Amino acid sequence: MLKFTPILLALLYGFAMYRFSVWRTSRELDAKSTELADGQLRALTDRMAKALDLPRIRVNIYEIEPVNGLAAPDGRIFITRGFYNRYRAGEVSAEELASVIAHELGHVALGHSRRRMIDFSGQNAIRTALVMVLGRILPGVGPWVASMLMRLLSARLSRGDEYEADAYAAALLHKAGIGVTHQKSLFRKLDQLSGGGRGVPAWLLSHPKTEERIAALEVLEARWDDASKH
Ligand SMILES: [Zn+2]
């Protein structure tokens, strides 16, 4: 029994972390958000809602500066104030912002946002257990090996999610008649914004390389083009 105590404790810790993270995330979002109200954007989200057979798509503004879009574990979609300001300033078009909303919808529809929160707390629990176990076998370097393994694992998991969410967004934008062009142009814009190194949009940091994302979208477009010719 004593042997399994660390693992048991780590699991309990992971579960408590999960409950706490979900609670804390929704409280933080509730306190710092309002519904996004913009006629031009609303027209676009209404077209996407129609393509999905939904009455409407609600989008919220999260009052923070970093340029980002996010999907909460409860399924709500958020655009940060910083991102919205770039749209108001004319640096990002309504269609480009709609492509971010479509991407976040993809994370919700494909169950990523909920799973990610579980992953996040689950990874903490696994890391804790690994550190305890490896610490005994490899004193000193055990914790370091444990975090390296976890970092590799989570990077692989999140990359797959991003491509899936991009593909979902492309299909939705295509079906709603908005098109994939804006999705690609936004990637290029955000990439340029990050060119200086400083002020890299958070939305890019957690995502794969721009050229690879664009290339993946072009594969989809070519397939759809082909399908419409036959
Ligand atoms: Zn994403």
Side-chain angles (χ1 to χ4, degrees):
M1 182 61 210
L2 212 62
K3 230 199 234 165
F4 296 108
T5 308
I7 293 162
L8 204 66
L9 280 176
L11 282 176
L12 278 174
Y13 167 73
F15 181 70
M17 274 286 293
Y18 167 66
R19 298 305 306 242
F20 180 68
S21 310
V22 169
W23 174 79
R24 198 182 45 191
T25 307
S26 12
R27 266 194 61 134
E28 157 82 9
L29 290 172
D30 284 345
K32 287 196 194 151
S33 70
T34 44
E35 182 166 2
L36 190 157
D38 178 89
Q40 220 185 332
L41 263 176
R42 177 67 196 261
L44 292 169
T45 53
D46 281 349
R47 274 161 76 179
M48 296 199 284
K50 206 170 157 224
L52 290 170
D53 261 336
L54 290 173
R56 76 184 192 109
I57 294 167
R58 188 192 154 115
V59 182
N60 306 284
I61 295 229
Y62 181 29
E63 299 292 343
I64 57 168
E65 260 321 296
V67 170
N68 214 344
L70 47 135
D74 59 16
R76 284 180 297 165
I77 308 284
F78 295 85
I79 295 292
T80 60
R81 175 63 67 186
F83 216 156
Y84 187 65
N85 283 344
R86 292 200 180 258
Y87 159 66
R88 300 288 295 176
E91 292 171 48
V92 169
S93 73
E95 287 82 3
E96 285 168 341
L97 206 54
S99 79
V100 175
I101 295 167
H103 174 96
E104 299 307 329
L105 276 171
H107 281 313
V108 174
L110 300 165
H112 298 158
S113 43
R114 189 178 291 266
R115 202 191 61 218
R116 219 175 259 186
M117 191 62 90
I118 297 171
D119 279 359
F120 173 70
S121 0
Q123 278 166 20
N124 271 326
I126 298 169
R127 185 184 292 121
T128 311
L130 269 179
V131 165
M132 283 194 257
V133 175
L134 285 175
R136 277 184 217 163
I137 311 167
L138 306 164
V141 290
W144 181 76
V145 173
S147 13
M148 203 183 58
L149 284 175
M150 293 314 299
R151 214 170 317 140
L152 276 172
L153 180 73
S154 61
R156 280 198 72 111
L157 283 176
S158 62
R159 285 204 145 204
D161 282 1
E162 294 317 323
Y163 284 115
E164 279 179 37
D166 278 353
Y168 178 97
L172 176 56
L173 293 164
H174 185 75
K175 193 177 173 195
I178 299 166
V180 183
T181 325
H182 313 285
Q183 197 180 1
K184 293 194 285 181
S185 64
L186 179 76
F187 289 160
R188 293 206 183 91
K189 257 181 209 176
L190 291 179
D191 209 28
Q192 263 173 10
L193 284 176
S194 67
R198 274 188 61 229
V200 179
W203 205 65
L204 273 188
L205 281 177
S206 53
H207 290 73
K209 272 202 189 124
T210 306
E211 312 94 79
E212 289 168 21
R213 291 179 85 182
I214 292 175
L217 288 178
E218 279 166 354
V219 169
L220 286 176
E221 281 184 302
R223 205 180 297 159
W224 293 333
D225 263 7
D226 250 21
S228 65
K229 271 179 212 144
H230 290 299

